[in-house]
């Protein structure tokens, strides 16, 4: 009989290799970032600064690899870095669905802890929450989700910044409501960017990642301006 989507995914060797490479790379960078941030209890300011440094280092490494490769591979790499859904099939979707389901389970079981972690440094400790371990759980979950998404469609930025803020504006700050709304808003943003990228200059295409930056940057600037008032 016909092989189902899961069997087809197992038989498709390209997707597992790409996913394994992305997870390995994300794991190495995450281990470095988390290892350096652990001494401060995974405090947000320290984590962000270390993350910026790691991002600069990995961006330089990617640029070096692109410069050293042949032009054909460089073009494919630049397409992937711009974020694109071109040529994606069911084998590319399966790992994203699995990772998303696991992430939603983690958040669903620990949404109250996530509410406390987002408050401040002292309240979770006063209520008996193990703050470093809880933060590490959520950080590892986010690394797995991000690596899986990047393996599927490349780098699509600003979705993780715009969707959660928009969700909080719509349903408040409780993560039991914020997370599912943010997932839906993120999906809508990516689909809208993909639709515009395929139609605005057809038959040529613009990467979805470039369009999400164009759509998300004005909104994010507006959020920053509003937070200062």
């Amino acid at each position: 009989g016909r092989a189902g989507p899961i069997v087809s995914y197992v038989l498709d060797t390209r997707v597992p290799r790409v996913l394994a490479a992305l997870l390995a790379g994300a794991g190495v960078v995450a281990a470095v970032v988390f290892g350096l941030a652990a001494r401060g209890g995974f405090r947000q300011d320290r984590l962000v600064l270390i993350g910026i440094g790691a991002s600069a280092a990995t961006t330089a490494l990617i640029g070096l690899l692109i410069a050293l490769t042949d032009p054909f591979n460089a073009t494919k790499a630049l397409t992937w870095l711009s974020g694109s859904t071109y040529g994606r099939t069911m084998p590319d979707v399966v790992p994203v669905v699995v990772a998303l389901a696991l992430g939603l389970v983690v958040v669903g079981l620990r949404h109250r802890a996530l509410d406390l972690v987002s408050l401040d440094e002292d309240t979770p400790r006063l209520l008996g929450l193990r703050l470093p371990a809880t933060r590490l759980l959520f950080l590892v979950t986010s690394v797995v989700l991000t690596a899986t998404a990047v393996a599927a469609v490349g780098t699509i930025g600003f979705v993780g910044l715009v969707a959660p803020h928009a969700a909080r504006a719509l349903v408040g700050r409780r993560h039991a409501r914020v997370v599912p709304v943010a997932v839906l808003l993120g999906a809508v943003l990516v689909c809208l960017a993909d639709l515009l990228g395929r139609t605005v200059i057809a038959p040529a295409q613009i990467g979805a990642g470039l369009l999400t930056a164009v759509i998300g940057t004005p909104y994010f600037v507006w959020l920053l301006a509003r937070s200062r008032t």
Side-chain angles (χ1 to χ4, degrees), residues 46 71 88 160 186 188 209 212:
R46 181 178 176 87
R88 298 303 181 263
V188 170
T212 56

Side-chain angles (χ1 to χ4, degrees), residues 49 55 124 151 195 219:
L49 290 175
S55 175
L195 177 64
Y219 179 75

Side-chain angles (χ1 to χ4, degrees), residues 36-227:
L36 294 174
R39 299 180 65 182
F42 300 104
R43 291 182 55 183
Q44 294 181 6
D45 52 351
R46 181 178 176 87
L47 193 63
V48 169
L49 290 175
I50 296 172
I52 291 174
S55 175
T58 52
T59 300
L61 179 60
I62 290 172
L64 177 63
L65 292 175
I66 291 176
L68 295 177
T69 190
D70 62 84
F72 178 70
N73 287 331
T75 302
K76 293 193 295 183
L78 291 174
T79 301
W80 176 73
L81 288 172
S82 68
S84 176
T85 59
Y86 178 76
R88 298 303 181 263
T89 58
M90 184 57 68
D92 299 291
V93 175
V94 171
V96 178
V97 173
V98 173
L100 182 59
L102 293 176
L104 290 175
V105 168
V106 171
V107 173
L109 294 175
R110 302 284 290 169
H111 65 89
R112 290 186 178 86
L114 191 56
D115 291 337
L116 293 175
V117 168
S118 65
L119 290 176
D120 52 43
E121 294 288 326
D122 299 323
T123 303
R125 291 191 175 95
L126 292 174
L127 295 176
L129 186 69
R130 297 175 57 190
L131 192 56
T134 304
R135 279 180 173 165
L136 182 60
L137 171 65
F138 293 133
L139 289 170
V140 170
T141 303
S142 66
V143 167
V144 173
L145 288 169
T146 304
T148 309
V150 171
V153 294
T155 341
I156 298 183
F158 276 91
V159 178
L161 293 174
V162 173
H165 284 88
R168 290 190 188 97
L170 291 173
V171 298
R173 303 187 65 86
R174 295 184 60 182
H175 287 85
R177 302 175 186 172
V178 169
V179 171
V181 174
V183 170
L184 293 175
L185 290 177
V188 170
L189 179 58
V190 172
C191 290
L192 177 62
D194 183 57
L195 177 64
L196 292 175
R198 291 174 183 268
T199 57
V200 169
I201 59 171
Q205 295 188 23
I206 303 175
L210 301 178
L211 266 296
T212 56
V214 171
I215 297 171
T217 300
Y219 179 75
F220 194 64
V221 170
W222 175 75
L223 281 177
L224 291 175
R226 194 181 70 165
S227 64

